[in-house]
Amino acid sequence: QVQVVESGGGLVQAGGSLRLSCAASGSTFGWITMGWYRQAPGKQRELVARITIGGTTVYAGSVKGRFTISRDNAKTTAYLQMNSLKPEDTAVYYCNSRFQAGDFWGQGTQVTVSS
């Protein structure tokens, strides 16, 4: 089994920054991708950014140029640096880790951006 733990959420004013971390532990053999998703109240969960073990990244159009995803392969950890935050970025952010054994989700971390 794989355990995924997110951290780094919180309350920030518009224009501010936050850095989220996602650490995977347990049977982490065959790490494929790690991604951040978010879900705002009344909305579907959406992809924010994803990174492969080789470093290839994908971003949602709404965050491109503001958010940066990175990873530390040795620590099986990914980070999401969020700059120039907007109120519409408010959501619960979830980390998804894909391994050969399957997909594993964290419990989510709340990000609230005040105007």
Side-chain angles (χ1 to χ4, degrees), residues 1 27 36 39 49 60 79-80 103 115:
Q1 276 292 348
S27 301
W36 287 97
Q39 188 167 19
Y79 307 95
L80 185 68
D103 280 347
S115 58

Side-chain angles (χ1 to χ4, degrees), residues 66-81:
R66 299 188 297 123
F67 291 10
T68 303
I69 190 169
S70 60
R71 86 273 185 253
D72 184 329
N73 291 350
K75 296 181 179 180
T76 324
T77 298
Y79 307 95
L80 185 68
Q81 178 66 43

Side-chain angles (χ1 to χ4, degrees), residues 18-78:
L18 283 173
R19 187 189 193 215
L20 305 183
S21 297
C22 173
S25 62
S27 301
T28 57
F29 175 79
W31 184 24
I32 300 172
T33 66
M34 193 169 278
W36 287 97
Y37 293 73
R38 67 186 180 188
Q39 188 167 19
K43 295 189 177 182
Q44 288 189 331
R45 189 173 297 188
E46 62 175 359
L47 174 69
V48 176
R50 185 172 60 236
I51 188 167
T52 69
I53 192 171
T56 302
T57 57
V58 173
Y59 294 95
S62 59
V63 307
K64 202 171 290 185
R66 299 188 297 123
F67 291 10
T68 303
I69 190 169
S70 60
R71 86 273 185 253
D72 184 329
N73 291 350
K75 296 181 179 180
T76 324
T77 298

